[in-house]
Amino acid sequence: MESLEQLLAEHPFLEGLAPHHLKTLAACAQVRQFTAGQFLFREGEEAKEFFLIRSGQVAMEIYTSRRGPITIQTRQEGDVLGWVGLPPPYQWNFDARAMVIVRTIALNVDCLRRACEEDHELGYELLKRFTGCMARHFRSLKLQLLDIIHGV
Amino acid sequence: MASNSRQFAVGAEPMLPRVFRVEKRVKETADTFTLTMMPLAGDEDFAFAPGQFNMLTAFGVGEVPISISGDPAAPLPLVHTIRAVGAVTKALCGLRKGGQIGVRGPFGTSWPVSRAEGNDVIIVAGGLGLAPLRPAIYHVMNNRTAYGNVEVIYGARTPYDMLYQQELMIWRGRFDLRVRVTVDSATPEWRSNVGVVTNIIPRARFDPYHTTALVCGPGVMMRYVVQEFLKRGVKEENIFISMERAMKCGIGFCGHCQLGPHFICKDGPVYSYALIKDWFEKREV
Ligand SMILES: Cc1cc2nc3c(=O)[nH]c(=O)nc-3n(C[C@H](O)[C@H](O)[C@H](O)COP(=O)(O)OP(=O)(O)OC[C@H]3O[C@@H](n4cnc5c(N)ncnc54)[C@H](O)[C@@H]3O)c2cc1C
Ligand code: FES
């Protein structure tokens, strides 16, 4: 069976991370599986975990009283889910629902924060990767908004 | 200006429309219809290359360029998918079986389906952009062994805005074709991707050194898609896009469609990115 460190090393988000940093992260990590339809988290809940998706597909949903839940994006194998919960107020602002069986590595947010405070090199390494995720996310969000609002 | 691929020459009188009769009208989405039509006069010679367009006349209303969206291996009946956005397209979409349409064409350059042989082919369509690409998909599927990995990536606003839904399902069921669809937003019944097509390109399987990318959709979408292909190492001359400009003559006489040195009706609408990049999605000139 693969160790948690191996699983972490295989995820694209952590590609090339130094072995001692992988070891630190492994101490905050847990393998978690969700069945189709199960929620990884729900809007308003405290953000306790951040997910690296190993397989499957997750719908990010926002509930609207008029139309019920609307899927605004999907995340799949190789993606990260939940960086929005890392800064204060440590609260989810959307629902995340497994569309099929979803396998993840869940990283405990408290543990992750402590590890980054103690080891700024690790903190900076993760910050760079989160910034990359955010840039990609905003790029596609811009296009999505243009299409929805203006039908470009 | 060098053309991108084979073109079918127009007849001796390119300004004279032939009259076609609507045989079938299928509603694709709330405002988009596919018309299937045959020539009235029974002169059944018609050939086109994937990506070419016709000038369609709604009699008494006007004439507009519309891509051919049928199978180039079976060019008749002629198939066009039209979104009703203004006077002419609304009149065309309103025609029922037996209605008459003027047809001039086929005009313009085509998707480089012959040049792409031996390559992986990645076809990216946004919204109505699937209509001009469908003949290229048919051609690739009809000659499947000539190509490497083939993927179709299609994005629409919502599941209800997707064209050719039944055909997409059939294509999805094939072992030799990968079809991925994505929408901007959906309700939980939707079982596929939500997001933009650019999110899917990093996951597509292709060898950047041996890939031809065919892209058609709204201008901004094509701009972002081209960037993704360039990022993955596909060369500018192997990325093809289809340009849209208002047209009048369709044959390079009037200059109505001019964009810098390009007459989109004659030198386009299909261009390699290398050829059109200085004029593509630039501020109005
Ligand atoms: C090479 C080429 C191929 C084309 N292929 C197709 C096709 O396969 N199917 C199809 O439905 N259309 C296609 N078009 C677009 C089509 O030609 C236009 O929608 C049409 O000319 C509009 O004419 P109209 O008189 O109906 O509307 P107009 O009165 O000219 O325009 C009505 C409104 O629609 C807007 N509009 C005009 N053109 C477009 C457009 N292309 N997209 C979005 N909004 C527009 C105008 O800005 C205006 O606000 C193609 C265009 C070109 C140049
Ligand atoms: S439409 Fe007349 S030159 Fe192109």
Side-chain angles (χ1 to χ4, degrees):
Chain A
M1 202 169 74
E2 284 184 285
S3 70
L4 258 176
E5 279 163 63
Q6 273 171 305
L7 289 184
L8 287 167
E10 281 165 14
H11 196 278
F13 180 69
L14 299 177
E15 194 186 327
L17 198 73
H20 66 285
H21 286 151
L22 286 171
K23 196 167 168 198
T24 309
L25 290 187
C28 301
Q30 203 183 347
V31 171
R32 302 262 315 262
Q33 176 167 313
F34 299 85
T35 53
Q38 197 180 350
F39 284 91
L40 282 75
F41 52 80
R42 305 204 67 160
E43 185 172 349
E45 284 176 359
E46 188 188 346
K48 292 182 181 150
E49 284 169 324
F50 148 79
F51 300 91
L52 305 179
I53 303 175
R54 294 175 52 223
S55 69
Q57 191 168 33
V58 180
M60 295 162 63
E61 295 176 351
I62 289 184
Y63 183 80
T64 63
S65 54
R66 202 162 58 84
R67 287 178 55 198
I70 304 285
T71 307
I72 46 162
Q73 269 193 0
T74 46
R75 289 272 189 273
Q76 39 267 309
E77 182 180 333
D79 285 340
V80 295
L81 179 72
W83 51 262
V84 289
L86 293 179
Y90 311 125
Q91 212 175 45
W92 298 122
N93 58 6
F94 60 92
D95 297 333
R97 188 179 49 82
M99 296 170 79
V100 290
I101 290 175
V102 171
R103 300 198 169 117
T104 70
I105 305 169
L107 287 151
N108 181 284
V109 170
D110 265 347
C111 177
L112 198 64
R113 246 184 253 125
R114 271 197 310 274
C116 292
E117 287 299 344
E118 279 164 22
D119 182 347
H120 287 180
E121 198 191 323
L122 170 65
Y124 182 57
E125 210 27 77
L126 291 182
L127 184 69
K128 280 194 285 187
R129 290 160 197 255
F130 283 125
T131 320
C133 282
M134 281 188 251
R136 272 193 300 282
H137 179 68
F138 284 118
R139 219 169 19 235
S140 57
L141 207 60
K142 224 162 40 182
L143 188 55
Q144 201 172 355
L145 281 175
L146 267 175
D147 198 24
I148 291 174
I149 299 170
H150 299 290
V152 286
Chain B
M1 185 71 48
S3 74
N4 298 308
S5 188
R6 81 198 157 116
Q7 279 169 258
F8 282 93
V10 290
E13 297 193 73
M15 293 305 289
L16 201 64
R18 287 162 70 182
V19 181
F20 278 60
R21 189 187 52 239
V22 176
E23 300 287 326
K24 203 164 97 183
R25 173 183 180 264
V26 173
K27 187 171 181 175
E28 300 283 352
T29 70
D31 60 0
T32 305
F33 296 82
T34 294
L35 301 182
T36 302
M37 45 195 146
M38 287 298 284
L40 251 197
D43 53 340
E44 309 217 332
D45 62 318
F46 187 85
F48 73 95
Q52 287 193 295
F53 66 95
N54 281 323
M55 295 297 296
L56 300 187
T57 300
F59 292 111
V61 188
E63 193 184 38
V64 287
I66 301 287
S67 303
I68 306 169
S69 56
D71 184 349
L76 285 177
L78 181 60
V79 181
H80 284 287
T81 298
I82 307 169
R83 174 173 292 161
V85 295
V88 181
T89 46
K90 275 183 187 153
L92 292 170
C93 287
L95 289 170
R96 303 293 161 128
K97 190 172 176 186
Q100 295 188 356
I101 293 184
V103 177
R104 293 193 295 122
F107 298 131
T109 55
S110 57
W111 300 111
V113 286
S114 303
R115 211 185 103 178
E117 285 183 8
N119 276 1
D120 294 337
V121 180
I122 310 298
I123 295 169
V124 186
L128 195 59
L130 189 58
L133 279 166
R134 188 167 69 162
I137 299 172
Y138 285 138
H139 178 94
V140 169
M141 298 322 293
N142 292 341
N143 301 275
R144 185 62 190 85
T145 52
Y147 302 92
N149 189 43
V150 180
E151 296 201 17
V152 175
I153 301 170
Y154 180 42
R157 262 208 244 184
T158 73
Y160 306 105
D161 296 309
M162 284 167 45
L163 302 182
Y164 317 134
Q165 298 204 12
Q166 285 186 342
E167 210 161 16
L168 280 168
M169 302 250 272
I170 294 168
W171 289 341
R172 263 188 123 154
R174 287 182 65 137
F175 291 116
D176 56 358
L177 175 70
R178 205 153 174 232
V179 177
R180 313 222 220 176
V181 291
T182 185
V183 294
D184 289 328
S185 72
T187 49
E189 299 80 58
W190 174 248
R191 311 294 307 160
S192 196
N193 300 291
V194 178
V196 287
V197 286
T198 46
N199 294 348
I200 297 180
I201 296 167
R203 299 168 194 280
R205 291 186 207 133
F206 58 83
D207 172 352
Y209 293 101
H210 302 282
T211 289
T212 303
L214 313 180
V215 186
C216 189
V220 185
M221 168 254 168
M222 292 202 286
R223 202 165 82 208
Y224 279 63
V225 167
V226 167
Q227 294 310 318
E228 290 297 325
F229 279 116
L230 292 174
K231 231 190 280 172
R232 284 203 54 186
V234 180
K235 290 208 186 88
E236 288 178 349
E237 51 268 35
N238 290 333
I239 303 171
F240 291 82
I241 56 180
S242 185
M243 302 284 290
E244 263 197 29
R245 290 289 274 187
M247 291 178 183
K248 280 215 185 310
C249 70
I251 51 173
F253 284 169
C254 70
H256 205 74
C257 65
Q258 190 170 359
L259 183 65
H262 303 274
F263 281 24
I264 304 293
C265 66
K266 183 171 65 70
D267 309 322
V270 176
Y271 287 92
S272 77
Y273 182 65
L275 211 59
I276 196 73
K277 66 176 177 180
D278 292 338
W279 300 97
F280 171 58
E281 283 282 291
K282 292 279 145 73
R283 272 171 228 285
E284 210 40 65
V285 280

